Amino acid sequence: MAASAEGFQAGSRLRPVAIQELRALAEGRSWVVAEHLQDLSTLTPVRGRVRAVHRGPVLEVEGEAETIVTLCCDRCLQHYNHPLHFRSRELVWLEGAGAQDPATTAQEGEAVLAINAEALDGDPGEGIDPAGSFDPGHWTFEQLSLQLPLVNRCGPDCPGPASWGHGDAGVDPRWAPLAALQPPREPTEPQATG
């Protein structure tokens, strides 16, 4: 994955940047991602790029990254490595920015997107405070988290629990904690017949 040098500032880490600082940069700001993210446990460092450009009432964010995570299979309970990759581009609404004059918005740069403010007013979704900051590390974390599978399966050849299909009537190890909560059974004596 080659990262564009356009707008990249050497040595810039995935630190939050003020929205006002992005507003002053015509080309926006780019980050090269080559590190472990704080809230995502990964086997390899996250590698990729993120770019954010201020576009009037929205922040245009695009990026691509990949890493490998270790997951636990929901069927056989074995750990396995799973690659994560995303390529995304989204517009993040700047709360309170929709009230700007369209003529003023158009003057903020040649590459301003033609955005219908009325459409955004209907359902702006989540947004960022224009006086706040954009965190490229958190954005990358969110994009990678969306790629995690809902059901963890180690693969099509997953054997399932050890007791399945082996004729062993043993307890599934996932139920063992519940079995420990049961009171011990009293031994039963055979009843005399006669």
Side-chain angles (χ1 to χ4, degrees):
M1 222 176 311
S4 166
E6 177 184 342
F8 173 68
Q9 297 175 357
S12 67
R13 307 270 296 164
L14 290 179
R15 293 197 178 104
V17 61
I19 300 297
Q20 293 304 318
E21 182 181 330
L22 285 174
R23 186 177 188 168
L25 300 171
E27 296 297 317
R29 185 156 178 200
S30 295
W31 296 265
V32 172
V33 183
E35 61 190 72
H36 288 278
L37 299 179
Q38 181 178 358
D39 296 327
L40 185 65
S41 179
T42 58
L43 187 61
T44 62
V46 177
R47 300 202 185 282
R49 63 174 181 77
V50 176
R51 182 167 185 244
V53 181
H54 190 280
R55 305 267 192 216
V58 296
L59 191 64
E60 178 184 5
V61 184
E62 63 179 333
E64 180 176 7
E66 59 188 20
T67 190
I68 298 173
V69 294
T70 300
L71 301 174
C72 181
C73 179
D74 291 335
R75 290 186 71 204
C76 68
L77 302 179
Q78 298 298 315
H79 288 89
Y80 68 100
N81 295 335
H82 180 78
L84 292 180
H85 174 264
F86 81 88
R87 179 179 293 157
S88 179
R89 178 179 177 266
E90 70 175 323
L91 300 176
V92 180
W93 176 252
L94 297 174
E95 296 171 352
Q100 294 179 357
D101 178 35
T104 304
T105 302
Q107 295 173 0
E108 291 186 2
E110 294 177 9
V112 173
L113 298 175
I115 298 170
N116 183 346
E118 292 176 15
L120 289 174
D121 285 341
D123 183 19
E126 291 187 40
I128 298 177
D129 181 0
S133 61
F134 169 72
D135 185 347
H138 186 72
W139 186 82
T140 302
F141 163 77
E142 289 176 339
Q143 300 305 311
L144 287 170
S145 295
L146 289 171
Q147 302 307 312
L148 288 168
L150 294 176
V151 177
N152 297 333
R153 293 281 165 83
C154 60
D157 297 327
C158 177
S163 63
W164 285 7
H166 299 296
D168 183 8
V171 176
D172 184 332
R174 295 173 290 185
W175 291 102
L178 288 176
L181 295 176
Q182 268 187 330
R185 293 186 183 189
E186 296 290 326
T188 57
E189 294 184 27
Q191 295 180 342
T193 58

